[in-house]
Amino acid sequence: MSETVLLINPPIYDFAAYDLFSKPLGLLYLTAFLRKAGYDVRLLDALDRGHPELSARFGPARVKPNGTGKYHNEIIERPKCLRHIPRNYSRYGIPIKMLTELLAGEYRENKPAAVIVTSMMTYWYPGVVEVIEHIRRIMPDIPVALGGVYARLLPEHAKQVCTPDVIFTQNGFLPELKWLDGLTQKKRDYSTICDGFLAWPGPAYDLYSRLDYLTLITSLGCPFNCDYCAGRLLQPQLRQMEPESFIDQVLSLLTLLGDNRPRYNIAFMDDALLANADRHIIPILCRLRELDLPLRFYCPNGLHCRFITSEIAELMYANHFEMVRLSYESSDTAARWQRASDDKVTDRDFHRAIEHLIRAGYRPSQLEAYILTGLPGQSMNEIEQSAQVVHELGVRLRRCPVIHGYPIGYLMPQGRQPSFSRAHVRSPVSTGEPPIVSPHPLRYREETVT
């Protein structure tokens, strides 16, 4: 019986997508966990811009100094419920023909015992549908499991539309291991296995043929509970690595970026990087400064303004944090949206954070701030007032659209978070209509793959 497991990150279907330090981190942790348990793991990341096959056919991907860049994309027909939006809708990632060839090669040369597919944004599920359809056609005798954010938030929808054999919705990886052991008839003592973020081996970045950056987390979870965010549903408690454990992980992974680089790009994807700073991020940044390596850091997720002190700002500047994005979200004049954000930021918090960062050495134009738009019932005046505060400080504005121009009620479970429940009521699409995209949105030419 094969003990090979194929793990897949699907393509994206959306109006826009960009590789801003985007790696399937959960899948990479799972891959490392299964490898440590004795399985032969194989990774197929359909969003890998540096995949050898993609580079061979289309040339090397253009890479910015920070390692980011555009995905390969193909414009496709917009789903019916999105046709009123006058923008191109695209499929991002490895082209379909190439993806099916890669799947066929895996089946022929490394026939897996099972395939595990991950998922991210709920409205990206057409990519999951596509991948599972390919697997069913090319590997009809191989069981398929689905996990990730979409699967955890909308398991019934995923079961109906994506039709995997099993869906994993829990924290931790022990259920996946038990499922695989059942398929491969392995026996082991599960009581000896530590299954938790703090015990996981580092993400399996060695399975990529080329890396231009590392996306890492020092923690899982967030101390806040915003009523538009699914974070608390996915990770109820904040878990933080010991500073030395994180430093060891960084040092072990840097070699994968290659020697003699002028810079090593690392992006933090924590939801709450600065929480409990005295015993977490401050020791980490102090140690990184002592190492004196050519590291460049990026924070594409918004940082909590309230946690930014003069000491943290100085450490960020000394450690070359080149992307500093702050979660401002809404001004004091829109108090109801500050309450929706669990009262985690005020105008005073925002101004103070900017002051600390400027005194540390940053120019206002080097800083960015997120504000929220599209919340159900939010007025244009409220958005303009928040944007005005950001502009007056000379900080670059990043708009974070929470509710898009289509029925958000289908993107998050009704009633699971208050903002999404209100959006469902306001949706222009009736609750009796089918999901946002039909269960089989793909129209591609069937090809014989050998």
Side-chain angles (χ1 to χ4, degrees):
M1 181 68 178
S2 171
E3 294 186 358
T4 298
V5 184
L6 176 61
L7 299 104
I8 300 179
N9 186 35
I12 293 171
Y13 283 65
D14 206 340
F15 289 103
Y18 184 83
D19 180 9
L20 189 69
F21 310 106
S22 300
K23 284 290 185 287
L25 201 50
L27 190 72
L28 296 177
Y29 272 112
L30 172 60
T31 302
F33 180 86
L34 296 178
R35 179 165 59 187
K36 185 177 179 180
Y39 282 95
D40 177 23
V41 292
R42 305 279 300 175
L43 176 68
L44 177 48
D45 185 353
L47 297 176
D48 179 9
R49 294 184 302 112
H51 194 284
E53 290 295 323
L54 198 63
S55 300
R57 297 193 193 184
F58 299 100
R62 291 185 178 181
V63 181
K64 289 189 174 182
N66 64 9
T68 67
K70 294 181 179 180
Y71 291 118
H72 178 87
N73 74 89
E74 301 162 295
I75 297 174
I76 59 175
E77 183 180 358
R78 294 191 298 273
K80 181 179 178 181
C81 59
L82 302 180
R83 288 177 188 166
H84 65 287
I85 300 176
R87 295 186 61 184
N88 288 331
Y89 189 74
S90 298
R91 177 191 180 278
Y92 296 87
I94 293 174
I96 287 175
K97 186 176 185 297
M98 187 182 299
L99 182 60
T100 57
E101 290 172 348
L102 290 169
L103 284 170
E106 291 291 338
Y107 187 63
R108 183 175 57 250
E109 299 169 16
N110 305 283
K111 185 176 179 179
V115 178
I116 299 178
V117 181
T118 192
S119 59
M120 188 55 186
M121 300 293 191
T122 51
Y123 54 92
W124 284 352
Y125 72 81
V128 179
V129 174
E130 176 201 317
V131 164
I132 293 180
E133 284 188 345
H134 293 325
I135 295 168
R136 297 297 193 200
R137 181 166 55 89
I138 296 169
M139 309 179 182
D141 57 330
I142 306 300
V144 181
L146 176 62
V149 173
Y150 158 62
R152 293 186 62 187
L153 294 177
L154 292 173
E156 292 303 318
H157 182 274
K159 180 179 179 181
Q160 173 193 348
V161 175
C162 303
T163 65
D165 295 300
V166 62
I167 295 178
F168 294 109
T169 61
Q170 74 301 316
N171 281 318
F173 301 137
L174 204 55
E176 285 93 329
L177 179 61
K178 290 181 178 179
W179 177 66
L180 289 169
D181 284 350
L183 294 175
T184 59
Q185 300 179 351
K186 275 193 172 186
K187 304 292 183 182
R188 72 175 83 226
D189 181 4
Y190 298 106
S191 66
T192 64
I193 299 175
C194 295
D195 179 24
F197 171 62
L198 301 182
W200 294 340
Y205 275 113
D206 57 291
L207 296 182
Y208 286 94
S209 61
R210 170 176 175 161
L211 285 171
D212 295 299
Y213 60 79
L214 293 171
T215 297
L216 301 174
I217 53 175
T218 70
S219 62
L220 276 183
C222 179
F224 298 103
N225 188 23
C226 302
D227 80 8
Y228 46 78
C229 178
R232 187 63 67 89
L233 302 176
L234 297 168
Q235 181 60 43
Q237 294 181 308
L238 177 63
R239 295 280 186 264
Q240 295 178 305
M241 295 177 69
E242 290 295 326
E244 281 305 317
S245 296
F246 178 73
I247 296 297
D248 290 344
Q249 185 179 108
V250 170
L251 294 177
S252 68
L253 292 173
L254 281 182
T255 57
L256 301 176
L257 291 173
D259 297 328
N260 301 317
R261 284 203 176 203
R263 59 195 287 167
Y264 296 100
N265 299 310
I266 298 177
F268 287 109
M269 282 294 179
D270 299 63
D271 289 328
L273 180 66
L274 306 183
N276 305 316
D278 287 345
R279 62 178 186 267
H280 188 63
I281 194 60
I282 288 177
I284 288 173
L285 296 184
C286 287
R287 180 69 178 117
L288 287 171
R289 185 172 58 178
E290 291 172 2
L291 292 173
D292 194 27
L293 296 171
L295 305 176
R296 297 295 182 271
F297 294 99
Y298 308 86
C299 297
N301 280 355
L303 297 171
H304 292 124
C305 298
R306 185 171 297 171
F307 296 153
I308 296 179
T309 63
S310 58
E311 181 182 11
I312 288 175
E314 290 167 4
L315 283 169
M316 290 173 62
Y317 188 78
N319 279 284
H320 306 289
F321 275 64
E322 295 194 353
M323 178 181 287
V324 180
R325 292 185 173 180
L326 307 176
S327 291
Y328 175 46
E329 299 178 358
S330 295
S331 70
D332 285 355
T333 56
R336 58 176 175 160
W337 301 123
Q338 289 189 345
R339 289 193 296 272
S341 298
D342 205 12
D343 291 312
K344 68 174 179 283
V345 60
T346 64
D347 283 6
R348 183 181 180 185
D349 295 328
F350 182 57
H351 280 80
R352 185 181 296 160
I354 297 296
E355 289 173 4
H356 288 321
L357 290 163
I358 290 174
R359 287 174 183 166
Y362 287 100
R363 299 187 304 275
S365 59
Q366 292 178 294
L367 307 175
E368 301 173 86
Y370 283 114
I371 66 170
L372 298 177
T373 67
L375 289 159
Q378 186 180 32
S379 69
M380 182 59 69
N381 185 54
E382 289 173 322
I383 296 171
E384 290 174 348
Q385 289 171 339
S386 299
Q388 185 63 31
V389 173
V390 176
H391 284 306
E392 287 176 353
L393 292 173
V395 176
R396 296 170 62 190
L397 181 65
R398 287 285 172 181
R399 182 174 58 89
C400 182
V402 176
I403 311 296
H404 298 267
Y406 40 81
I408 199 70
Y410 290 112
L411 304 185
M412 286 283 291
Q414 283 193 60
R416 296 289 293 278
Q417 293 293 74
S419 285
F420 288 92
S421 181
R422 293 192 295 270
H424 183 85
V425 173
R426 293 171 179 266
S427 171
V429 177
S430 73
T431 56
E433 295 193 28
I436 183 170
V437 181
S438 66
H440 300 285
L442 307 173
R443 294 293 180 268
Y444 53 87
R445 186 174 72 254
E446 293 286 344
E447 300 187 34
T448 301
V449 182
T450 57

